[in-house]
Amino acid sequence: MNTAEMMIGRNKVMDQINSGEFETYNICDVMDWIYVTFNKEMWSQTWEWECEKVKEFCENFNLHLYEKPRESFFKWEAVEEASKENKRGVILSNLS
């Protein structure tokens, strides 16, 4: 994936955040935002670094991270969890 493609994902996330509405975010778009923002190549980062940045992203933008395998992945459940925690949105991550 090149920088231009990642910028599309980054811009999509920023548009959603700036709208102020409860939103769902795709983890791939969020990761594009993280890589571009920190000027990092995706293949050169550790899993620990990525997890730390996703956690920071969630804290900074008041988002809930929903990660489940495909067989137990339900978007409605993600939205419900985030709403109960008074989050402004949820990042969806299908672990399958």
Side-chain angles (χ1 to χ4, degrees):
M1 180 177 294
N2 64 38
T3 302
E5 291 171 328
M6 290 194 308
M7 284 299 292
I8 292 170
R10 179 187 188 279
N11 292 339
K12 180 178 179 182
V13 169
M14 291 311 297
D15 288 344
Q16 289 176 319
I17 289 171
N18 291 331
S19 76
E21 297 177 26
F22 186 88
E23 294 284 346
T24 59
Y25 303 88
N26 181 293
I27 188 66
C28 296
D29 292 334
V30 171
M31 291 310 299
D32 288 347
W33 184 92
I34 289 170
Y35 294 130
V36 170
T37 300
F38 292 97
N39 197 27
K40 302 288 185 182
E41 300 292 337
M42 70 177 140
W43 54 83
S44 65
Q45 301 312 305
T46 64
W47 180 80
E48 291 83 5
W49 182 89
E50 291 175 341
C51 290
E52 177 186 324
K53 295 304 174 195
V54 169
K55 182 179 177 184
E56 287 175 16
F57 187 89
C58 288
E59 290 170 359
N60 290 337
F61 294 107
N62 193 29
L63 301 174
H64 174 68
L65 177 62
Y66 181 81
E67 294 181 298
K68 299 268 178 128
R70 180 179 307 142
E71 55 277 355
S72 59
F73 186 92
F74 302 102
K75 187 175 177 180
W76 62 266
E77 182 180 64
V79 171
E80 184 177 273
E81 286 179 11
S83 294
K84 285 180 181 177
E85 295 176 12
N86 294 317
K87 301 294 183 180
R88 64 183 287 195
V90 61
I91 299 172
L92 303 173
S93 178
N94 181 334
L95 298 175
S96 301

